[in-house]
Amino acid sequence: MVGLHLSLLSWSHGGEGPTLSHWSEPNWTVPQEFVILGFSGWPQGLRVLLFSLLLPLYLATLAGNLLILGLALAEPTLHTPMYFFLGSLSAVEVAYTLVLTPRMLAGFLLPPGGQAVAPSTCAAQMGLFVALGGSECLLLAAMALDRYLAICRPLYYPQLMTSGLCWALLACCCLGGSILALGLTTAIFQLPFCHGGLVNHVFCDLPAVLVLACGNRELQEHVLLAACMLLLVLPLILILLSYTRVLVVILGVGDSAGRRKAFNTVASHLTVAVLHYGCATAMYARPLSSRSLEEDKLVSLIYINLTPLLYPAIYTLRNRDMQGALQRVVSQRTTGVVQQVDLV
């Protein structure tokens, strides 16, 4: 079976999928299973080493995002729109990593040959990935809107950014990501696939599955590129415009301490937005003919494992409110433990 995998991959690598010259129309079938190849062709020692390096990163990412979410819920001083969106972003990030990382880590320890998954499982993983990634893109835009109103329209901010509006924006972000995921996943899995169903990636990513489709993929590829442009480019433009206006206001008014605090907050948000949109644009805003699945698979190690870890690090290390809330929670815990010891 491994030999079959390698022989098929020899002509499907480099972003070139199956064509009519390899498969006649009667051989177009829906595969009984998809095989996620991951890094199964790499030496076992290297795969074990990668597992040993990436598992701590995954645990640290989960801990960091859960910490932010817990503080945003438990600390009264953080019950503001900005930390509502920050906690929501952390919750989405936790779900995002749970969808992708455990199966990827398991793939490092499995025997060569890849992981076989049912088409429904592959579609569910793709749909959740797109839904969560799309929701995160829109949440970053909502956070930029919040900072714009707070700094550029401070007199109207309490009346505009109410609790109801925050929940409405969160619902719109999740709904927008879910609609996009449903549309793209349905469009891709309605296509006929060539014999095999070998996914040369660490999960059922859109380009890696789309490249396996038979016949004319041009329409689906154009839909994918249009969705990426709509979800990535337009919100990013709005984010950059919002933060540009915010920076202009920050530099023009207020004292040095206030400017420093506001600038640090904006810098943290803008850094996360650039990281997220930069990785997503580099991965998905390209036609299939110009991509290499092997390179995409290597890059996925960065945006699945490293980039999510940077988000909580950026927010917690650069945010004094978050640091203060963490110190208060730790001190309260410590005081409670000491009191229990004294009572004993």
Side-chain angles (χ1 to χ4, degrees), residues 174-208:
C174 296
L175 181 62
S178 299
I179 292 174
L180 177 68
L182 180 62
L184 287 178
T185 305
T186 301
I188 289 177
F189 278 87
Q190 282 183 343
L191 295 172
F193 291 92
C194 296
H195 181 268
L198 304 175
V199 181
N200 188 23
H201 211 284
V202 296
F203 70 100
C204 287
D205 199 10
L206 283 82

Side-chain angles (χ1 to χ4, degrees), residues 23 33 88 111 119 144 196 233 245 293 308 324:
W23 302 100
E33 62 181 19
S88 302
V233 177
R245 178 58 181 166
L293 294 182

Side-chain angles (χ1 to χ4, degrees), residues 76-98:
T77 59
L78 300 182
H79 291 172
T80 63
M82 184 178 77
Y83 292 103
F84 171 85
F85 290 118
L86 181 56
S88 302
L89 185 67
S90 295
V92 171
E93 196 66 35
V94 168
Y96 176 87
T97 55
L98 286 174

Side-chain angles (χ1 to χ4, degrees), residues 7-283:
S7 63
L8 291 175
L9 284 174
S10 64
W11 52 264
S12 65
H13 280 173
E16 297 179 359
T19 62
L20 294 178
S21 61
H22 293 92
W23 302 100
S24 59
E25 187 169 349
N27 290 327
W28 294 1
T29 58
V30 177
Q32 297 298 315
E33 62 181 19
F34 287 90
V35 179
I36 303 176
L37 295 176
F39 297 95
S40 59
W42 288 21
Q44 183 178 3
L46 182 56
R47 289 188 284 116
V48 172
L49 176 61
L50 281 173
F51 175 86
S52 303
L53 293 175
L54 297 179
L55 178 60
L57 294 181
Y58 171 59
L59 296 177
T61 300
L62 276 182
N65 283 294
L66 289 174
L67 175 63
I68 292 176
L69 178 59
L71 289 175
L73 292 173
E75 182 60 31
T77 59
L78 300 182
H79 291 172
T80 63
M82 184 178 77
Y83 292 103
F84 171 85
F85 290 118
L86 181 56
S88 302
L89 185 67
S90 295
V92 171
E93 196 66 35
V94 168
Y96 176 87
T97 55
L98 286 174
V99 168
L100 299 183
T101 313
R103 185 176 289 275
M104 181 202 68
L105 291 174
F108 288 121
L109 301 180
L110 294 177
Q115 304 176 66
V117 297
S120 59
T121 303
C122 187
Q125 187 183 49
M126 179 186 294
L128 288 172
F129 166 72
V130 176
L132 293 168
S135 300
E136 190 170 345
C137 289
L138 298 176
L139 268 174
L140 290 171
M143 294 174 69
L145 173 64
D146 172 69
R147 289 301 83 203
Y148 170 80
L149 293 176
I151 296 175
C152 301
R153 298 290 186 269
L155 296 179
Y156 302 100
Y157 179 71
Q159 290 78 28
L160 293 174
M161 194 57 69
T162 62
S163 175
L165 180 60
C166 291
W167 281 104
L169 287 174
L170 176 60
C172 289
C173 293
C174 296
L175 181 62
S178 299
I179 292 174
L180 177 68
L182 180 62
L184 287 178
T185 305
T186 301
I188 289 177
F189 278 87
Q190 282 183 343
L191 295 172
F193 291 92
C194 296
H195 181 268
L198 304 175
V199 181
N200 188 23
H201 211 284
V202 296
F203 70 100
C204 287
D205 199 10
L206 283 82
V209 175
L210 184 58
V211 79
L212 301 176
C214 301
N216 186 3
R217 300 188 307 263
E218 184 176 355
L219 176 61
Q220 286 73 22
E221 184 176 349
H222 288 167
V223 171
L224 175 59
L225 289 174
C228 290
M229 297 295 287
L230 181 64
L231 187 64
L232 298 175
V233 177
L234 182 58
L236 181 58
I237 292 174
L238 296 176
I239 289 172
L240 293 177
L241 290 176
S242 297
Y243 284 131
T244 299
R245 178 58 181 166
V246 166
L247 289 174
V248 170
V249 173
I250 289 174
L251 296 176
V253 298
D255 56 6
S256 59
R259 284 198 301 268
R260 188 180 305 109
K261 180 178 179 180
F263 182 80
N264 287 338
T265 300
V266 172
S268 298
H269 290 195
L270 193 56
T271 301
V272 170
V274 170
L275 282 172
H276 180 80
Y277 280 97
C279 290
T281 303
M283 285 298 300

